[in-house]
Amino acid sequence: MEMNKQQPPLSPRLSIYRWRLTMIASLAHRASGLFLVLVIPAAFWLLLTMAHNNIAYIVGVSWLQSSTGTFLLWLTCVALFYHFFNGIRFLLLDIGKTNSRQAMRLSAKLVVWSTVLVAIVLAVKI
């Protein structure tokens, strides 16, 4: 008798799940937090340019006013607002206010639409 040498599938198998807004909101919360942590050195660099002489300040401000700097600033603000809104959603979940599936879906939709609204406003203002 030959033994089956196949590995059992990992549990839970991702292929059996359908992507839902609540799953995407949870993953995006982690991704936005990671992005915000990775942006901290750029923020410190900008603060250091402001604290030093005028030439370093002009270089920092000119970089911030470039298309790359403006986009990074916009993306950082959107990530910060998303992380904030979704953090409130998770706090409400932790205290038991959004335990039902319907409330979880509604809160995820509110977070996404609030972030889209903030992103549009920031894009117009920046």
Side-chain angles (χ1 to χ4, degrees):
M1 182 178 237
E2 188 175 316
M3 293 189 69
N4 188 1
K5 294 187 180 187
Q6 275 187 328
Q7 293 286 356
L10 296 176
S11 179
R13 291 181 18 201
L14 290 177
S15 61
I16 63 173
Y17 289 115
R18 288 187 333 179
W19 285 95
R20 301 192 186 278
L21 183 61
T22 54
M23 293 170 61
I24 294 169
S26 178
L27 289 171
H29 183 74
R30 292 180 176 107
S32 66
L34 179 65
F35 175 76
L36 290 171
V37 167
L38 294 176
V39 169
I40 288 174
F44 283 147
W45 175 74
L46 284 172
L47 287 173
L48 284 174
T49 61
M50 291 178 201
H52 285 77
N53 58 16
N54 289 341
I55 296 172
Y57 175 74
I58 291 170
V59 168
V61 169
S62 66
W63 179 81
L64 194 57
Q65 291 175 344
S66 71
S67 59
T68 304
T70 303
F71 178 71
L72 187 64
L73 180 65
W74 176 80
L75 194 60
T76 303
C77 290
V78 170
L80 184 64
F81 275 104
Y82 176 78
H83 201 75
F84 176 72
F85 293 148
N86 212 22
I88 292 172
R89 176 179 169 256
F90 281 125
L91 284 175
L92 291 174
L93 180 65
D94 287 342
I95 63 173
K97 295 293 182 186
T98 57
N99 277 345
S100 70
R101 287 185 183 192
Q102 183 180 6
M104 288 179 67
R105 289 181 188 134
L106 177 64
S107 64
K109 286 178 185 178
L110 285 173
V111 166
V112 168
W113 284 111
S114 300
T115 306
V116 167
L117 181 67
V118 167
I120 291 170
V121 169
L122 287 173
V124 169
K125 293 291 182 182
I126 293 179

